Amino acid sequence: MAGKRASRGGGYAVYLIPGVVASLAIIVVPLVMTVYTSFTKWNGVGDQKWIGVDNYTRLFHDTLFWQSFGHIILLIVAMAVVPTLVGLVLAALLFDYIAKRFSNRWASLFRSGYYVPQVIPVAVTGIVWGWILHPDYGALNKVLDSIGLHGLAKNWLGDPDYALYSVMAVMVWFQLGYPIVMFMSGLQRIDPALYEAADLDGATWWQRFRKITVYMIRPEFYVVLITTTIAALKIFGQIFVLTRGGPSNATLVPSYFAYKNFFEKAQVGYGSAISTVLTVIIIVLAIVFLRLQNRAERTGA
């Protein structure tokens, strides 16, 4: 019997081969090549010159590199912290109020509406928001002019004082639907008897939300937080379409900084060093989040 199980398991392993080969070709091999290239001086053609850790020494003394990570911290707030907290409250309202007061169909409609930005191509959303925020013919400034608030009209993406905050606002809109969908899925597995018991004890909606909802959907909370944080760390498409890191590097992020060195400056070794550091940070954060989640599940905290 044991031999049959082993044989059956070996048969299943065959189906893993395409995924393993694809992972090696798409992830592992390019990663190893990038790490190696980060220790060389190379313009993308010809031979690579080994220079050791010179790229990393230069990197940690590069003010633009540190400036780009300062911007990432704010984008983590916009893409991870704010959508997670707001999405949790909205998911609870849709689940507890809209679905019960009206119908599940209305709750599903709102959920789908919030999720639409996630399925629209990044280039499309970037172009549309570029039109909305344009200083001359943008819808936002036109609306402000029409209601007598001309003084509030700004060059939202062209002024270094407002560009990063404008991108943050766009990213909150873009990212909000994902936490809502995840949290509503988590809410569906909570035993309704818990809410009924809380109602009998006279608990308010806010008390039920804090003591039951937040506690019971901790797994979804960790998943949302880690995936949105990683998405913020490697953000590229929206920056490329909206601002290209400008104006005056006001929206520069590490991924776009690496892109500029790769393709605009032909400093492939230096760009690889930026990418390698960013990859290490993402891996470390993922491990930390997973360990925190496992610890919370073991202790029940």
Side-chain angles (χ1 to χ4, degrees):
M1 183 66 70
K4 289 183 178 180
R5 283 199 297 266
S7 177
R8 198 161 49 227
Y12 293 151
V14 174
Y15 297 100
L16 298 176
I17 293 176
V20 172
V21 172
S23 296
L24 287 172
I26 298 173
I27 299 175
V28 178
V29 173
L31 178 60
V32 172
M33 293 175 62
T34 299
V35 173
Y36 173 80
T37 304
S38 70
F39 294 100
T40 68
K41 183 178 181 180
W42 190 41
N43 62 2
V45 294
D47 296 330
Q48 297 175 326
K49 179 183 178 182
W50 183 267
I51 59 174
V53 297
D54 287 359
N55 283 326
Y56 293 96
T57 303
R58 172 187 170 188
L59 182 66
F60 288 112
H61 290 87
D62 192 335
T63 56
L64 279 179
F65 174 75
W66 294 111
Q67 183 182 355
S68 70
F69 266 99
H71 298 158
I72 277 293
I73 292 174
L74 291 176
L75 285 170
I76 288 175
V77 173
M79 294 181 64
V81 178
V82 173
T84 299
L85 296 178
V86 176
L88 180 58
V89 175
L90 288 176
L93 287 172
L94 290 175
F95 186 81
D96 282 342
Y97 183 78
I98 300 297
K100 294 178 180 177
R101 180 65 63 90
F102 300 97
S103 68
N104 286 326
R105 183 173 298 179
W106 279 102
S108 298
L109 180 63
F110 280 111
R111 179 183 60 190
S112 301
Y114 282 118
Y115 195 73
V116 165
Q118 291 284 311
V119 299
I120 299 176
V122 170
V124 174
T125 58
I127 292 172
V128 170
W129 275 103
W131 290 340
I132 294 173
L133 299 175
H134 194 278
D136 297 326
Y137 54 78
L140 179 56
N141 283 348
K142 292 293 184 182
V143 170
L144 293 173
D145 288 342
S146 65
I147 60 177
L149 297 176
H150 177 75
L152 296 179
K154 308 292 182 182
N155 186 357
W156 301 105
L157 297 175
D159 189 329
D161 294 332
Y162 299 103
L164 182 59
Y165 298 107
S166 300
V167 172
M168 289 173 63
V170 172
M171 295 316 302
V172 170
W173 169 85
F174 178 82
Q175 200 76 0
L176 187 59
Y178 170 68
I180 291 175
V181 170
M182 290 292 292
F183 291 142
M184 288 191 72
S185 297
L187 289 169
Q188 291 175 1
R189 63 179 176 78
I190 299 177
D191 188 352
L194 294 174
Y195 291 113
E196 293 173 2
D199 289 334
L200 290 174
D201 290 338
T204 63
W205 180 88
W206 180 248
Q207 290 172 327
R208 289 188 292 112
F209 174 76
R210 288 192 302 112
K211 300 297 184 179
I212 299 176
T213 302
V214 175
Y215 181 82
M216 295 299 294
I217 63 171
R218 286 176 304 162
E220 287 81 4
F221 185 85
Y222 279 108
V223 169
V224 167
L225 200 56
I226 187 174
T227 51
T228 53
T229 300
I230 291 174
L233 284 169
K234 60 192 186 81
I235 181 176
F236 175 81
Q238 293 88 348
I239 296 295
F240 181 83
V241 177
L242 287 171
T243 63
R244 304 212 169 199
S248 302
N249 297 314
T251 59
L252 186 68
V253 293
S255 58
Y256 192 78
F257 189 35
Y259 167 84
K260 288 181 67 174
N261 281 280
F262 265 105
F263 299 105
E264 295 181 10
K265 299 181 180 179
Q267 298 178 0
V268 179
Y270 191 53
S272 297
I274 300 169
S275 299
T276 301
V277 170
L278 185 59
T279 301
V280 170
I281 291 173
I282 290 173
I283 292 173
V284 170
L285 281 177
I287 293 172
V288 170
F289 272 115
L290 291 174
R291 287 193 173 184
L292 289 175
Q293 180 181 3
N294 291 333
R295 181 183 300 176
E297 290 177 352
R298 287 196 305 268
T299 61

